[in-house]
């Protein structure tokens, strides 16, 4: 199967328009999601034999998925987050699930299912309990994107033996969904809410993989490259908006503004180069040492974060107060990007990667050229 990238490129303006319209009320982008579904975005990351677009663990898979996520991010970071969560779930099931579970997930996708990965715990962390009635899930998942739209979801839970397990669960009975995190200032279209599990009954068939698989390296860290690819799309879009608005206002020729345009382009390309490097080592991780995969992706995370923060500052300085007016798309883009760049434990991520590469060089990634 070849993926229709041109059609995806063509619908970016539509995704952006919906994101802007829905922002104030934090409405989920159902129209954009349906468009992406029709283009095959939600099935592209399935294993090739189950209807995916690329052979697993190949340069084509790395560059294809990068291009897909980046294009969705250019149209809408919120929708990009939702797609990224879906792809993460597909990846985890294909890596750790049984053949039957992989087939069931492919059937979910063919049936229009949107998947998500809900890991971040709320005030009461999710627990898998053995009760007289069988296994049940009790506790909360916070910052759960696509809440109210995702089913099934992949969730992590602590067991009574203090291990972490991963389960594929139908979100419905036994769950109470709070569809949005009140007051989240950016990424308001991602449907980021909370799910309270109030005794959801599960069986051993719901378990994906073994105890500890979710946290297993290098896959645990490597998966972050997909969020970078979406963020990259947002960085590129904001850079384009900066250039276009400066030109439209006749301000692009001022030397200081030219310098901003140049710096934004450099930052966007830097984000691209690091994301591509991370995509290659993460996708073809069997060719690299596990520590190299983890540390490369972790450095890339920080590089993309830095690039995003720089472009936000350049856009706000270059466009001035107009970048703070709600009707200007730059205002929402900066809010969405700033919010999306908040990923877990950035300090630890940088320090661990730096420690790994203090006495060794980064691995070559020519395959990504
Ligand atoms: C739009 C959006 C959608 C999301 N969707 C999902 C989802 O679908 N599923 C899901 O599971 N999660 C989701 N999340 C949550 C996400 O995965 C992260 O948990 C969250 O973004 C972490 O952000 P944070 O800045 O609070 O991280 P933190 O890790 O709390 O970092 C904040 C700061 O504290 C520092 N820090 C961290 N730990 C320590 C420590 N022990 N001691 C000292 N300093 C420390 C960090 O380095 C950083 O400087 C989403 C988040 C967003 C923004």
């Amino acid at each position: 199967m070849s993926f229709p990238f041109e059609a995806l490129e063509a619908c970016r303006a539509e995704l952006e328009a919906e994101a802007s319209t829905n922002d104030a009320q934090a409405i989920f982008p159902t129209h954009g999601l349906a468009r992406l579904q029709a283009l095959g975005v939600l099935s592209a990351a399935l294993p090739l034999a189950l209807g995916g677009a690329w052979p697993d663990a190949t340069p084509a898979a790395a560059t294809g998925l990068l291009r897909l996520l980046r294009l969705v991010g250019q149209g809408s970071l919120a929708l990009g987050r939702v797609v990224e969560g879906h792809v993460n779930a597909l990846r985890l099931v294909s890596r750790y699930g049984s053949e039957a579970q992989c087939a069931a997930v492919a059937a979910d996708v063919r049936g229009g299912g949107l998947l998500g990965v809900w890991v971040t715990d709320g005030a009461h962390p999710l627990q898998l309990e053995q009760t007289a009635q069988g296994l049940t899930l009790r506790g909360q998942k916070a910052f759960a994107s696509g809440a109210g739209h995702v089913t099934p979801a992949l969730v992590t839970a602590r067991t009574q033996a203090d291990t972490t397990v991963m389960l594929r669960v139908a979100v419905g009975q036994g769950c109470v969904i709070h569809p949005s995190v009140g007051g989240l200032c950016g990424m308001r279209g991602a449907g980021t809410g909370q799910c309270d599990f109030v005794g959801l009954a599960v069986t051993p068939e719901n378990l994906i993989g073994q105890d500890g698989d979710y946290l297993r390296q290098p896959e645990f860290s490597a998966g972050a490259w997909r969020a970078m690819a979406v963020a990259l799309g947002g960085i590129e879009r904001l850079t384009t908006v900066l250039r276009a608005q400066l030109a439209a206002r006749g301000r692009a020729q001022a030397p200081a503004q030219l310098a901003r345009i140049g710096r934004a382009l450099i930052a966007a390309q830097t984000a691209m180069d690091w994301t591509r490097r991370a995509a290659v080592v993460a996708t073809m991780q069997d060719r690299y040492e596990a520590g190299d995969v983890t540390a490369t992706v972790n450095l890339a995370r920080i590089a993309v974060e830095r690039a995003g923060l720089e472009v936000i500052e350049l856009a706000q300085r270059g466009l001035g107060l107009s970048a703070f007016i709600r009707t200007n798309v730059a205002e929402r883009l900066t809010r969405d990007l700033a919010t999306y760049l908040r990923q877990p434990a950035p300090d630890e991520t940088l320090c661990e990667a730096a420690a790994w590469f203090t006495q060794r060089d980064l691995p070559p990634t020519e395959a990504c050229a």
Side-chain angles (χ1 to χ4, degrees), residues 62-63 66 269 271-281 365 368-369:
T63 53
L66 193 164
Q269 186 59 43
M272 175 65 182
D273 293 345
W274 274 101
T275 305
R276 195 190 283 133
R277 180 180 277 273
V280 167
V281 298
T365 51
C368 66

Side-chain angles (χ1 to χ4, degrees), residues 92-93 96 117 154-157 164-168 206-214:
L92 287 166
V93 174
Y96 298 118
V117 179
L154 243 62
V155 296
T156 50
T164 299
V165 289
M166 192 167 27
L167 302 103
R168 168 174 163 266
N206 291 95
L207 288 163
I208 302 286
Q210 310 297 318
D211 284 10
D213 274 350
Y214 176 74

Side-chain angles (χ1 to χ4, degrees), residues 6-258:
E6 291 71 24
L8 180 54
E9 272 169 29
C11 84
R12 285 172 300 177
E14 225 177 288
L15 305 184
E16 181 168 286
E18 186 184 30
S20 292
T21 305
N22 289 359
D23 178 65
Q25 300 301 319
I27 296 168
F28 190 77
T30 45
H31 172 75
L33 186 65
R35 291 280 281 126
L36 297 185
Q37 210 152 20
L39 290 175
V41 165
L42 299 189
S43 54
L46 282 168
L48 195 59
L50 294 174
W54 306 286
D56 194 27
T58 58
T63 53
L65 188 56
L66 193 164
R67 189 171 171 199
L68 181 153
L69 292 169
R70 174 184 170 216
L71 288 174
V72 178
Q74 286 174 3
S76 163
L77 280 171
L79 203 43
R81 163 80 272 273
V82 171
V83 171
E84 176 229 322
H86 174 89
V87 172
N88 190 13
L90 299 186
R91 169 82 186 180
L92 287 166
V93 174
S94 69
R95 196 161 181 94
Y96 298 118
S98 66
E99 218 171 287
Q101 287 170 327
C102 291
V105 160
D108 288 337
V109 174
R110 277 194 295 275
L114 174 68
L115 283 73
V117 179
W118 296 345
V119 174
T120 311
D121 282 309
H124 303 286
L126 192 62
Q127 304 278 349
L128 179 65
E129 293 165 2
Q130 180 71 61
T131 67
Q133 287 75 40
L135 289 170
T136 59
L137 282 173
R138 236 172 244 289
Q140 299 167 333
K141 286 296 174 187
F143 293 113
S145 287
H149 303 270
V150 156
T151 189
L154 243 62
V155 296
T156 50
R158 296 297 287 171
T159 65
Q160 282 154 327
D162 211 24
T163 59
T164 299
V165 289
M166 192 167 27
L167 302 103
R168 168 174 163 266
V169 294
V171 182
Q173 265 191 348
C175 310
V176 179
I177 294 283
H178 308 274
S180 74
V181 178
L184 195 59
C185 78
M187 299 292 281
R188 293 169 55 76
T192 306
Q194 182 171 306
C195 182
D196 295 350
F197 290 85
V198 288
L200 177 71
V202 291
T203 67
E205 282 70 51
N206 291 95
L207 288 163
I208 302 286
Q210 310 297 318
D211 284 10
D213 274 350
Y214 176 74
L215 297 168
R216 200 170 303 288
Q217 292 289 19
E219 184 65 24
F220 175 64
S221 294
W225 84 263
R226 293 182 293 265
M228 292 169 211
V230 174
L232 166 65
I235 291 168
E236 291 175 318
R237 179 64 189 140
L238 187 55
T239 301
T240 301
V241 167
L242 170 66
R243 291 153 64 207
Q245 293 192 4
L246 285 177
R249 289 166 71 187
R251 292 186 166 190
Q253 301 310 318
Q257 298 288 27
L258 284 172

